[in-house]
Amino acid sequence: MNTTELLKKVRKIEIKTRRLSNHIFGGEYHSTFKGRGMTFSEVRQYQYGDDIRAIDWNVTARYNEPYVKVFEEERELTMMLMVDVSGSELFGTVQQFKKDTVTEIAATLAFSAIQNNDKVGLILFSDEIELFIPPKKGRSHVLRIIRELIEFEPKSKETNVNQSLKFLSNVMKKKAIVFLLSDFMDEGYEQTLKITANKHDITGIRVYDIHDQEMPNLGVVSMLDAESGKTTLVNTSSSKVRTDYKNYSLKLEDYFKNSFRKSGAGTINMRVDESYVKKLLGYFKQKG
């Protein structure tokens, strides 16, 4: 993709997703996440009606009269977008590739964040960390993130969600709002997710194609594994082959749902031919 084509594509995505974030998601994002982060401000003498759970017992013991901790809302939050760029994201049979849907969702979330004067960062991952952009504010920063989402060429085509979560914990010392976007064709990340979710506000957004779950009956066809690069002849007319394929997909979906539920993190299941606008709005309203 040459520079002119890239800029046109970035501009097209900006127009669409910025309008959504301005008119739809901005208020929902604000009500969902603002005020959730509280930071210590000072201590003052206890007043009638104060929550006794806020009493600072050390200061109270020192002055022999009750003092309470005062907290204030964190005015500036940080959003981290963690985006799977493995080979399976370049798959789509209905409207567009999973990667295109992921890019639009990530851009909408990023514009919603900067509209509320928050920072946005980006982690692109496969089975390694492909790119890390530290959190910053501003439109030009979000446009850089969109450009990377569109044109970045990963070194690897495989997936390792576990490694990406470990990296997040290493680089983000303060609490962040984290959106992890992937088709989650991976396992082995449950324990790390639990640890990470104790510190950060995490939402897993699973973006998938209908044919990730349902193999069509097309006879004997040559199939390419987008992550391993291997090509295999598959008899799709075999009901056992189609059933095994579906069961494996459902197993990965169950692992995703159960892992996030056990960790207390949120989930959104998004098929590429569904409206991500409705899905995100519903999630924000429920979470708020």
Side-chain angles (χ1 to χ4, degrees), residues 18 47 59 72 83 88 95 114 133 145 156 230 245 280:
R18 195 171 191 179
Q47 298 172 3
V59 177
E72 62 182 19
V83 178
S88 60
Q95 293 177 338
I114 65 165
I133 299 179
I145 286 174
S156 174
K230 294 178 181 177
Y245 181 85
L280 287 175

Side-chain angles (χ1 to χ4, degrees), residues 134-193:
K136 281 179 64 177
K137 296 181 182 181
R139 174 178 172 268
S140 61
H141 179 67
V142 170
L143 292 180
R144 181 196 170 192
I145 286 174
I146 295 172
R147 285 198 303 272
E148 295 293 356
L149 288 167
I150 292 171
E151 70 167 354
F152 187 84
E153 294 288 340
K155 300 186 189 76
S156 174
K157 294 185 177 181
E158 298 184 21
T159 311
N160 192 320
V161 173
N162 191 54
Q163 284 298 108
S164 70
L165 290 168
K166 286 182 179 179
F167 179 81
L168 173 73
S169 295
N170 288 334
V171 296
M172 296 302 297
K173 301 305 180 185
K174 291 185 178 179
K175 182 176 180 179
I177 299 164
V178 180
F179 289 95
L180 177 49
L181 297 97
S182 173
D183 53 15
F184 289 93
M185 291 187 173
D186 189 28
E187 295 176 284
Y189 53 82
E190 181 180 336
Q191 192 56 42
T192 306
L193 178 62

Side-chain angles (χ1 to χ4, degrees), residues 95-278:
Q95 293 177 338
Q96 58 185 9
F97 291 146
K98 288 180 277 186
K99 176 185 176 181
D100 298 328
T101 300
V102 164
T103 297
E104 289 191 18
I105 295 170
T108 301
L109 292 169
F111 279 122
S112 297
I114 65 165
Q115 185 182 339
N116 284 279
N117 202 35
D118 294 336
K119 294 178 180 178
V120 186
L122 177 69
I123 296 172
L124 299 182
F125 69 93
S126 53
D127 61 343
E128 59 184 88
I129 302 305
E130 299 279 354
L131 178 69
F132 171 54
I133 299 179
K136 281 179 64 177
K137 296 181 182 181
R139 174 178 172 268
S140 61
H141 179 67
V142 170
L143 292 180
R144 181 196 170 192
I145 286 174
I146 295 172
R147 285 198 303 272
E148 295 293 356
L149 288 167
I150 292 171
E151 70 167 354
F152 187 84
E153 294 288 340
K155 300 186 189 76
S156 174
K157 294 185 177 181
E158 298 184 21
T159 311
N160 192 320
V161 173
N162 191 54
Q163 284 298 108
S164 70
L165 290 168
K166 286 182 179 179
F167 179 81
L168 173 73
S169 295
N170 288 334
V171 296
M172 296 302 297
K173 301 305 180 185
K174 291 185 178 179
K175 182 176 180 179
I177 299 164
V178 180
F179 289 95
L180 177 49
L181 297 97
S182 173
D183 53 15
F184 289 93
M185 291 187 173
D186 189 28
E187 295 176 284
Y189 53 82
E190 181 180 336
Q191 192 56 42
T192 306
L193 178 62
K194 276 184 185 177
I195 296 168
T196 311
N198 281 333
K199 181 177 181 182
H200 302 292
D201 188 334
I202 300 183
T203 299
I205 303 181
R206 178 175 171 263
V207 178
Y208 68 100
D209 186 272
I210 189 170
H211 288 119
D212 283 332
Q213 294 183 327
E214 302 283 348
M215 180 183 288
N217 185 347
L218 300 172
V220 178
V221 296
S222 177
M223 287 192 174
L224 173 69
D225 185 321
E227 299 209 353
S228 69
K230 294 178 181 177
T231 302
T232 310
L233 284 176
V234 179
N235 181 11
T236 63
S237 60
S238 165
S239 59
K240 183 181 185 306
V241 168
R242 294 199 305 274
T243 300
D244 288 348
Y245 181 85
K246 183 172 185 175
N247 287 341
Y248 178 68
S249 174
L250 291 174
K251 176 191 169 192
L252 291 177
E253 181 180 355
D254 286 343
Y255 183 85
F256 160 71
K257 289 179 178 177
N258 291 333
S259 296
F260 276 77
R261 177 179 54 79
K262 289 176 184 176
S263 71
T267 58
I268 303 174
N269 253 325
M270 187 105 54
R271 211 171 61 206
V272 291
D273 57 326
E274 294 178 318
S275 167
Y276 67 82
V277 175
K278 289 181 181 178

Side-chain angles (χ1 to χ4, degrees), residues 41-57:
S41 175
E42 60 181 345
V43 293
R44 63 164 169 77
Q45 283 184 298
Y46 177 86
Q47 298 172 3
Y48 178 77
D50 284 339
D51 188 340
I52 61 171
R53 291 174 296 182
I55 292 177
D56 187 320
W57 294 106

Side-chain angles (χ1 to χ4, degrees), residues 82-96:
M82 300 178 64
V83 178
D84 179 358
V85 291
S86 62
S88 60
E89 296 301 319
L90 290 171
F91 177 73
T93 61
V94 184
Q95 293 177 338
Q96 58 185 9

